[in-house]
Amino acid sequence: MELLTKHYLNQAETGIIRHEVLEVKMLTEREGFQLEVFCGTIENLVPQDHFLRKLQSAVDFSFIYDEVRDLYCGNNGRPSIDPVVLVKYLLLGYLNNIESERRIEQEIRVNMAYKWFLGLNITDDVPDHSTISQNRRRRFNGENIYRKLFERILTTCIEKGMVDGKLVLTDSTHVRANASRQSEVKVMVEKESAWYMDRLDKYETTERERLEKEYGIQSPRHKEQPVKPEMKTKIISATDPEAGFLRRPNKPLGMHYLDHQSIDAKHGIIVDVAVTPGNVTDGTPYLDRIKYMQKFGLPIEAVGVDSAYDISLVHQELSENNIAIYTPENNEKPVCKTELRKEDFQYDEKKDAFICPAGNQLVLNRLQRSDWNVSREYKAKFHDCKSCSQQNKCLAPSQKSRRIMVNIFDAAMRHSHKKDGTSEHKRVLALRQVWCEGTFAAQKARHNLKRIHRRGLKAAEEHCLLSAIAVNLKRMVKYMGKASSYCYSRGALILKRITISAYSSLSLKMSALSTAPN
């Protein structure tokens, strides 16, 4: 507060100079508010460097018209809301962490940048949130609009050089379903076969034919599925039966969906999104998703995954496609009931047999198939084990001769794990932790991935796709801003060098003219 002193002479009373302190307030108080007429457009109200301006110039959303044209009547009916507006409407919610469609409508009414992004004028009515919901659930249902939008943006990122596909990092996260715990019930359902059964059948047939041709070994075939289906108890939600009940250590309890995402390591662009019930294993859709990513022409050379994907079949199929796989080191030793372990037996590659510590051979006996694996069985002769001095260390009480089981994909797994502990192995796992776990954290904090608001597997996939689209759009706009800034700085530097060079050349010419003879 500023103090002013007023001097005056009171001659009538004392003739003494008096001092009066006056206060000048810094606070401005307006007693009334007068409206003024604004002459301009919504274009004047949105800053030129606003994110939505950059997004609008980076992505062409007009392809949506061609995708949904068949869903509208060409010569009858009331005029519809622009389908591009419907998609952008939802996209604004995921870009700005607005979960409620009702609240998105409220925000658009007061935010000029949102209105500009939708192509609305200042006085235009904002589409009602219920109209958006009905179009999404009815008209666009089953049309994969958001999958096509995701693929279009991914293709744009590939064209701009943001994705090279050389190293792809994969992880999954659980997202809570919109299902009440009180609606959970136990039901009896038919037990489904594992995801890899068909693939194992193919490898089993090939290996059996090889053993019959090279060794004359005829192994019993895998038992066909029983005519009477096997039943099991399953917990489902009456409100969302497609969600999966999650009950794992250090995981939240209840109904969830599992969001599988693959990220390109170059700039963190999400290149694939797949959603399964929450009780499905991480590796279930993985091999099919690799084929999906290759559809975009990505030359996948290596992948980085966590230990949940460390499956022998995954190692085998990736090795057949010349794709290196990096997983965390597995230091757990298999449970063995005997003192002598498999590592104590030496494998003779020429004879295709194992040599025990006593010098006896364990020869290839048959091919054994279980519900989850195909293995070669190497077995010692009965009389060799019976007369062996190390029988107590080598045989379990129920065994008459020693057997060793070798996974038919064991060579692929050992080849992959040779890279464990190398600098490249550590680099890939560090990148996976940064990009995958960091991206999931960003999506849950700022892009509506905490919970699925709609019900059903298809709705859950659309939800996760829109969240991934929001991340890709932000990273694409950021990359383009850096690229244009780099080009501008590079161009300015080149222009500066050209100017200096031209100035130096001109100075030399002027100097030569000034010293030339008349």
Side-chain angles (χ1 to χ4, degrees):
M1 181 183 296
E2 183 180 356
L3 302 180
L4 300 179
T5 304
K6 181 179 179 181
H7 302 273
Y8 65 93
L9 180 64
N10 190 346
Q11 296 178 351
E13 297 182 358
T14 60
I16 301 175
I17 296 178
R18 295 181 180 276
H19 301 271
E20 181 178 348
V21 178
L22 303 179
E23 296 184 357
V24 179
K25 297 181 179 180
M26 297 180 66
L27 176 65
T28 302
E29 299 182 9
R30 301 177 66 181
E31 297 180 356
F33 178 69
Q34 184 175 358
L35 297 175
E36 65 178 11
V37 177
F38 170 72
C39 295
T41 65
I42 194 172
E43 187 74 22
N44 305 118
L45 301 178
V46 182
Q48 293 298 319
D49 60 346
H50 196 278
F51 169 78
L52 292 178
R53 280 191 180 273
K54 300 175 183 177
L55 176 57
Q56 183 70 13
S57 62
V59 180
D60 183 11
F61 291 92
S62 62
F63 79 95
I64 296 174
Y65 295 123
D66 296 330
E67 298 292 344
V68 302
R69 196 175 304 278
D70 295 339
L71 306 178
Y72 293 84
C73 182
N75 55 9
N76 196 8
R78 296 172 56 188
S80 67
I81 297 176
D82 189 333
V84 173
V85 173
L86 299 179
V87 174
K88 286 183 175 181
Y89 192 106
L90 289 175
L91 199 55
L92 282 173
Y94 287 85
L95 284 168
N96 299 282
N97 201 33
I98 305 174
E99 298 181 349
S100 167
E101 292 176 3
R102 188 186 298 270
R103 190 177 153 223
I104 296 175
E105 177 191 345
Q106 296 171 353
E107 292 293 330
I108 294 173
R109 290 183 184 278
V110 299
N111 193 312
M112 291 297 105
Y114 292 175
K115 274 194 168 185
W116 177 90
F117 182 64
L118 296 181
L120 302 177
N121 288 316
I122 298 176
T123 57
D124 288 345
D125 292 332
V126 178
D128 190 83
H129 67 276
S130 62
T131 305
I132 301 297
S133 299
Q134 294 303 323
N135 275 273
R136 172 174 46 76
R137 290 191 296 176
R138 295 181 181 182
R139 191 187 301 276
F140 295 160
N141 187 29
E143 297 300 322
N144 291 325
I145 294 298
Y146 307 109
R147 171 66 66 178
K148 294 173 183 177
L149 177 60
F150 172 82
E151 293 177 352
R152 176 60 66 97
I153 294 169
L154 173 59
T155 303
T156 303
C157 292
I158 294 173
E159 293 172 351
K160 294 183 180 298
M162 297 182 64
V163 177
D164 59 14
K166 293 182 179 180
L167 174 60
V168 175
L169 312 167
T170 302
D171 203 356
S172 62
T173 187
H174 287 91
V175 187
R176 185 172 293 278
N178 186 9
S180 171
R181 292 298 311 274
Q182 284 71 31
S183 68
E184 295 172 2
V185 293
K186 290 184 178 181
V187 296
M188 294 296 295
V189 297
E190 183 179 345
K191 186 177 180 180
E192 299 177 355
S193 60
W195 61 273
Y196 45 78
M197 292 297 287
D198 292 337
R199 286 185 164 94
L200 278 183
D201 289 341
K202 180 188 69 173
Y203 284 104
E204 180 192 9
T205 301
T206 303
E207 183 66 11
R208 180 182 291 108
E209 292 175 353
R210 188 183 74 85
L211 294 185
E212 290 179 359
K213 182 179 179 180
E214 296 182 9
Y215 299 94
I217 299 175
Q218 295 184 353
S219 301
R221 294 182 178 274
H222 180 60
K223 294 180 180 180
E224 300 292 339
Q225 294 295 329
V227 178
K228 185 179 179 180
E230 186 178 354
M231 307 299 289
K232 69 173 184 177
T233 303
K234 182 180 180 182
I235 299 177
I236 66 169
S237 169
T239 53
D240 190 356
E242 295 185 359
F245 183 73
L246 178 64
R247 182 168 50 194
R248 295 183 189 175
N250 302 322
K251 295 288 185 180
L253 186 68
M255 291 295 169
H256 289 76
Y257 285 98
L258 191 59
D259 182 12
H260 309 259
Q261 290 188 4
S262 295
I263 300 176
D264 184 79
K266 187 175 182 180
H267 290 287
I269 296 298
I270 302 171
V271 294
D272 179 50
V273 176
V275 179
T276 61
N279 54 359
V280 172
T281 58
D282 292 358
T284 298
Y286 185 61
L287 294 175
D288 291 332
R289 304 319 299 176
I290 291 290
K291 293 181 179 179
Y292 172 83
M293 288 181 276
Q294 290 175 333
K295 182 182 72 173
F296 297 95
L298 299 179
I300 302 177
E301 298 177 0
V303 296
V305 294
D306 66 9
S307 56
Y309 300 83
D310 192 5
I311 304 170
S312 59
L313 181 59
V314 172
H315 286 271
Q316 178 67 27
E317 294 217 1
L318 291 181
S319 66
E320 291 176 0
N321 289 277
N322 297 320
I323 299 176
I325 177 172
Y326 295 87
T327 63
E329 295 184 52
N330 185 7
N331 297 320
E332 295 183 5
K333 294 184 178 180
V335 178
C336 186
K337 297 180 181 180
T338 60
E339 184 177 342
L340 293 178
R341 297 174 175 271
K342 179 181 175 181
E343 295 78 13
D344 298 321
F345 291 74
Q346 185 178 1
Y347 178 68
D348 189 335
E349 187 175 356
K350 293 182 179 180
K351 296 180 180 180
D352 193 12
F354 282 89
I355 310 299
C356 75
N360 298 316
Q361 286 189 3
L362 284 75
V363 296
L364 183 59
N365 182 47
R366 64 173 180 168
L367 189 68
Q368 186 170 332
R369 168 71 183 269
S370 63
D371 289 338
W372 61 89
N373 207 352
V374 181
S375 300
R376 303 184 190 97
E377 180 188 84
Y378 293 83
K379 188 176 181 181
K381 295 180 180 180
F382 171 72
H383 61 82
D384 288 340
C385 292
K386 186 177 181 180
S387 59
C388 183
S389 60
Q390 302 190 40
Q391 180 180 1
N392 295 333
K393 297 181 180 180
C394 189
L395 295 180
S398 61
Q399 289 181 323
K400 295 182 179 180
S401 61
R402 181 62 187 256
R403 296 186 304 168
I404 292 179
M405 307 302 296
V406 178
N407 189 334
I408 63 172
F409 309 131
D410 183 67
M413 288 198 68
R414 285 189 285 105
H415 178 73
S416 297
H417 283 292
K418 282 183 179 179
K419 302 183 292 292
D420 290 358
T422 62
S423 58
E424 182 65 13
H425 177 258
K426 295 177 181 178
R427 185 186 74 88
V428 170
L429 294 186
L431 285 173
R432 191 203 66 82
Q433 186 175 11
V434 169
W435 281 124
C436 292
E437 297 181 13
T439 299
F440 281 138
Q443 286 179 268
K444 292 190 175 184
R446 297 188 290 275
H447 301 294
N448 295 352
L449 202 63
K450 288 183 179 179
R451 180 174 178 172
I452 304 295
H453 301 293
R454 297 164 61 204
R455 291 167 181 167
L457 184 61
K458 188 64 179 178
E461 184 177 78
E462 291 179 354
H463 186 104
C464 296
L465 278 170
L466 283 166
S467 181
I469 289 170
V471 172
N472 280 352
L473 288 175
K474 284 191 173 182
R475 289 177 178 173
M476 181 175 68
V477 169
K478 183 177 180 180
Y479 170 82
M480 293 177 64
K482 287 183 177 180
S484 61
S485 175
Y486 172 78
C487 291
Y488 175 80
S489 302
R490 185 69 175 169
L493 179 62
I494 293 173
L495 181 62
K496 182 178 180 180
R497 288 177 177 175
I498 292 174
T499 305
I500 293 174
S501 176
Y503 178 79
S504 301
S505 177
L506 181 62
S507 299
L508 289 174
K509 291 180 180 180
M510 294 298 294
S511 175
L513 288 174
S514 63
T515 57
N518 294 328

